[in-house]
Amino acid sequence: MKLVFAHDHKLRYIDGKYYTTGGLSDSITGRYMQYFDHLTIFCRAIKKQPYDTGLFEIKNPDITVKPVSDGSLLLSSEAKKTMRDEIKAADALIVKLHSKIAEEAIKCAREYNIPYLVELVACPWDSYWNHGLKGKFVAPMMTISTKREVLRAPYVVYVTKEFLEKRYPTDGKWIDCSDVELQETDGSILEKRLEKIKNSAEPLVLGTLAQVDVLYKGQEYVIKAIAQLRKEGKEYRYKMAGSGSPERLKKCAEACGVSDLVEFCGVLNHDDVFSWLDDIDFYIQPSKQEGLPRAMAEAVSRACPAAGSTAGGIGELIDKKFVFKKGSAEGIVKILRSLNKETMSLQAAANYELSKNYEKKYLDEKRNAFYKEFADECDRRNKN
């Protein structure tokens, strides 16, 4: 059977080959290839960026990439025709919302009665509203269209347990299943963390894993928080790891007088992420927009005490006492003021226990059963 996948994902085009930053790696597309013989991907494709590292080449011969733009969200009439022809000849469609490319794909699938499944990975209102003046203009339209498409979708996968389901309900079949994949762990991780907390000394090291050049990731609020605490005589170091140019945040740290407390670690190889998390004392996800952040799920799986904003499904990963209003440096200040070894130890244990709900084995079993049900329906339609 032939499957089409559509999303605004930006692949990198290098010397005639396509590379992904991770969103379309073999482990992701492999979820679909278990049930379909060939996969055609409609997305965007851009040239390699100066800060790109750790790219994954798309090598599977059963995957065809058909970029519909070189970065723009606008689709040409030629691109729409290509999508229409491909989807008309396909057995199934899977899309990630929110996405203009995905919306066009759904339009074609409905026209030709092709079965389709929606993966809802983020809230378009939060995404666009926190993306400048142009985003504030686009946010209402994208939210309305996403609500409409999710409501009437025959199959939906939500990456959160509650947040997205409440904002974007569906009349179709659905499951909640994070796209985070945590490997099974053992009790030694918690033991090491508790020992680290017991022996910790000031200044504590805070950490955030996220792109550093994306406005809605919110690292500037942590910088402003540690600047305020420095004035009160309490110091914290802050490490940021992630792709993108750090210039904007460097200027923020300089303006706040805490350049000496801030460190940019660049892009981490996936194998190095867990050791980086083990080295910090406290994880913070200060985003203004999220679905269910992979980095935070990985942090709690390392029994890392953590705080996060009210964005998306962050509050599903940690105790509500450690959730602060998005865009609030003062909210971060209050949480950091409350930290001591006892509270950090208690939260480390609670976070580690909760993270077991996101282990790969458990999520794969749940997701695979749903995708198989979808594929079986596609097969029945194909035979009829």
Side-chain angles (χ1 to χ4, degrees):
M1 291 194 296
K2 294 176 61 178
L3 172 68
V4 172
F5 176 87
H7 183 43
D8 287 346
H9 187 92
K10 289 182 183 178
L11 290 178
R12 305 305 195 256
Y13 186 66
I14 308 169
D15 298 330
K17 298 177 181 179
Y18 293 99
Y19 295 78
T20 175
T21 54
L24 286 174
S25 62
D26 288 345
S27 65
I28 301 298
T29 56
R31 298 171 182 173
Y32 315 133
M33 300 303 289
Q34 294 182 68
Y35 309 106
F36 296 91
D37 304 312
H38 188 271
L39 172 63
T40 299
I41 297 174
F42 285 111
C43 62
R44 294 184 283 172
I46 62 174
K47 295 179 180 179
K48 186 176 184 292
Q49 303 298 293
Y51 50 77
D52 282 339
T53 59
L55 298 175
F56 304 91
E57 182 184 351
I58 297 178
K59 295 182 177 180
N60 191 326
D62 295 320
I63 295 178
T64 301
V65 176
K66 293 190 175 182
V68 290
S69 84
D70 58 358
S72 171
L73 290 174
L74 298 177
L75 299 177
S76 66
S77 57
E78 182 182 356
K80 290 181 180 180
K81 183 181 184 305
T82 300
M83 291 179 66
R84 181 178 298 275
D85 291 344
E86 190 74 32
I87 293 170
K88 184 178 180 180
D91 299 294
L93 168 71
I94 293 178
V95 303
K96 280 186 184 289
L97 288 179
H98 54 280
S99 159
K100 295 304 291 184
I101 295 173
E103 286 185 11
E104 182 65 27
I106 291 174
K107 180 181 176 181
C108 296
R110 291 179 65 83
E111 181 177 348
Y112 296 113
N113 198 29
I114 304 299
Y116 66 95
L117 179 150
V118 168
E119 297 176 343
L120 189 58
V121 297
C123 172
W125 178 270
D126 290 350
S127 297
Y128 287 99
W129 190 260
N130 295 299
H131 222 68
L133 289 176
K134 185 178 179 181
K136 286 177 170 56
F137 176 76
V138 174
M141 294 182 291
M142 287 298 289
T143 300
I144 291 170
S145 63
T146 300
K147 283 181 179 289
R148 180 187 66 242
E149 297 301 351
V150 174
L151 182 65
R152 66 184 184 178
Y155 291 86
V156 180
V157 177
Y158 297 96
V159 298
T160 61
K161 289 184 177 295
E162 298 179 4
F163 175 74
L164 291 171
E165 289 89 329
K166 289 180 179 179
R167 285 199 178 185
Y168 304 91
T170 183
D171 287 337
K173 298 178 180 179
W174 64 275
I175 59 168
D176 60 89
C177 190
S178 170
D179 56 358
V180 173
E181 292 187 344
L182 301 178
Q183 298 300 322
E184 191 171 350
T185 58
D186 60 71
S188 66
I189 291 172
L190 178 57
E191 292 175 7
K192 290 176 182 177
R193 175 63 65 178
L194 294 177
E195 187 66 21
K196 178 178 176 60
I197 293 171
K198 180 181 177 182
N199 297 320
S200 61
E202 296 184 353
L204 294 180
V205 179
L206 315 176
T208 298
L209 271 166
Q211 289 174 269
V212 296
D213 60 346
V214 177
L215 291 174
Y216 62 74
K217 288 300 181 181
Q219 294 97 327
E220 65 268 28
Y221 300 108
V222 182
I223 292 172
K224 291 175 182 179
I226 64 173
Q228 174 61 36
L229 288 164
R230 168 172 264 185
K231 292 176 182 177
E232 299 175 10
K234 184 82 169 180
E235 292 202 341
Y236 292 86
R237 291 172 56 207
Y238 184 34
K239 291 186 176 184
M240 287 168 274
S243 63
S245 170
E247 289 308 310
R248 178 182 64 89
L249 293 175
K250 281 185 177 180
K251 290 178 181 178
C252 178
E254 289 171 5
C256 291
V258 291
S259 294
D260 58 317
L261 299 178
V262 171
E263 179 182 348
F264 296 92
C265 304
V267 178
L268 302 178
N269 293 324
H270 191 262
D271 292 342
D272 297 328
V273 167
F274 289 145
S275 59
W276 187 88
L277 289 168
D278 289 341
D279 284 340
I280 66 172
D281 296 300
F282 193 81
Y283 185 81
I284 301 184
Q285 195 77 47
S287 311
K288 298 172 96 174
Q289 177 267 318
E290 286 289 354
L292 191 87
R294 179 188 305 273
M296 187 150 196
E298 290 174 335
V300 298
S301 77
R302 305 306 293 183
C304 196
S309 74
T310 50
I314 290 176
E316 297 174 11
L317 291 168
I318 54 174
D319 189 308
K320 297 296 189 289
K321 291 183 292 186
F322 291 87
V323 176
F324 53 88
K325 185 178 179 181
K326 58 187 177 183
S328 171
E330 184 57 36
I332 299 172
V333 168
K334 288 180 180 178
I335 288 174
L336 293 179
R337 283 180 185 144
S338 72
L339 294 184
N340 56 51
K341 293 185 179 183
E342 181 181 2
T343 59
M344 290 174 66
S345 295
L346 288 172
Q347 201 206 12
N351 288 354
Y352 178 74
E353 190 61 32
L354 187 147
S355 73
K356 294 177 181 179
N357 294 327
Y358 298 91
E359 288 182 354
K360 185 178 185 300
K361 181 179 178 181
Y362 166 74
L363 292 179
D364 279 352
E365 182 179 334
K366 186 176 186 178
R367 184 188 300 110
N368 289 346
F370 194 69
Y371 278 91
K372 185 178 186 304
E373 181 181 355
F374 171 64
D376 286 345
E377 178 179 334
C378 297
D379 191 37
R380 284 193 297 271
R381 288 201 191 190
N382 188 38
K383 289 177 180 177
N384 292 334

